[in-house]
Amino acid sequence: MERAKSSTFRRISWALNIVMLCGTLLVPANASALDRVRIGVINDQSGPYADAFGKGSVLAARMAVQDFGETALDGKIEIVAADHQNKADIGAGVVRKWFDSDGVDMAIDFGNSAVSLAVQEIAKAANKIVIHTSATPDLTQKACIPTGFSWAHDSYALAASPVRSLIKQGLDKWFFIANDYAFGSSIIADTSRAIKESGGSVVGVIRHPINAGDFGSYLLQAQASKANVISFGNAGADLANSLKQAQEFGVVEAGQRIVAPLVFITDVHSMGLAVTQGLSFVTPFYWDRTDASRSFGKRFLAQHGTMPTMSHAAVYSGVLHYLKAVKAAGTSKTEAVVAKMRELPVEDMFADKGYIRADGRVMHDLYLVQVKTPAESKAPWDYYNVLGTIKAEDAFRPLSESECPLVKK
């Protein structure tokens, strides 16, 4: 009886080994071809920047996947999302877990400079791809890494163009009211440099926390400084509150000009044209500029209830370009995908003949716009007059001034 059981056991074991061997032989030589591609979208989902980034960026990423074709390398493309609450430690913790244990191949958006800088270090250690919509130029300067890309704009590009124009008009004394974090510091530094190079001067600087709420005391100091330009180095709800209270204080009526380098179309929408009319700034995207951008904008509006911000459009572009690179590389391995990302042109409704520089900066044109008056606006979200195009090479810091270790002098 024992010998019979032993013989039966050997036959079963032999059969199982054959099945396992056949299963192994059936796996393609490129096993990664069956792996999913997983993309993580992380930003402020519930705070002052939720309208400019938030769930709209998640939708933009999903739209890019839909337009690409839903699968890559014969596997499903997955989007995961998280809220960093504008805290660098939370954002860093989420992305570290994504990379270390959750199988995320690429993380995108951030929308907060401090979070972006923290995540940049994590991506460097993990050898993972990160695509930023944050505005700090440090991402392509001292903090640049081979796998990090700055997709939308930076404070250098946002600040320099308006400064030169305004100082030529005699508006040469500037006062800053800025967020007390990396983006605000970058706006102050880059704008101050452009002011001084153009013959102007900085007469005062005030820094405030995120979600400051009351800007009254800051505005009183700015008015007392005799500056002829007040520059707001903030964004989202902070910018909206700044501009609303500036109107209440009669800042413009008293003769001071307001500059806001980082303005999202959702800010204009929430404040209204009566508050924002005449405001000039540069932006990498406006939904009503081309047929392609209008088509994207209308699709986005139908699903989200607002037109896309420049960050939403940049997330769409970044995800789409990443997936094109995965397809071209035939793998999701970081080195191969990065090489293809740098090789392929960035061509979509966000970037026209764009390309990636050695420092990770995506080079694309910017547009000088001015907010319409209520009488000029003919339909909902018809908010900007496009005054001109600023070529990428004129908008962004030249490589000759780069502090990025990846750039060969």
Side-chain angles (χ1 to χ4, degrees), residues 200-256:
S201 62
V202 176
V203 299
V205 175
I206 289 178
R207 300 173 187 270
H208 67 82
I210 291 179
N211 269 340
D214 185 5
F215 290 85
S217 63
Y218 308 145
L219 289 165
L220 288 173
Q221 292 180 62
Q223 287 180 304
S225 73
K226 304 302 181 184
N228 43 33
V229 178
I230 300 174
S231 178
F232 289 118
N234 51 22
D238 282 327
L239 176 61
N241 287 331
S242 299
L243 291 175
K244 288 176 182 176
Q245 290 175 38
Q247 184 190 42
E248 293 169 5
F249 277 66
V251 168
V252 174
E253 290 82 353
Q256 290 176 300

Side-chain angles (χ1 to χ4, degrees), residues 303-325:
Q303 298 178 69
H304 191 62
T306 74
M307 280 297 179
T309 66
M310 55 187 173
S311 296
H312 298 152
V315 167
Y316 173 91
S317 174
V319 169
L320 187 62
H321 188 76
Y322 168 77
L323 292 174
K324 289 177 180 177

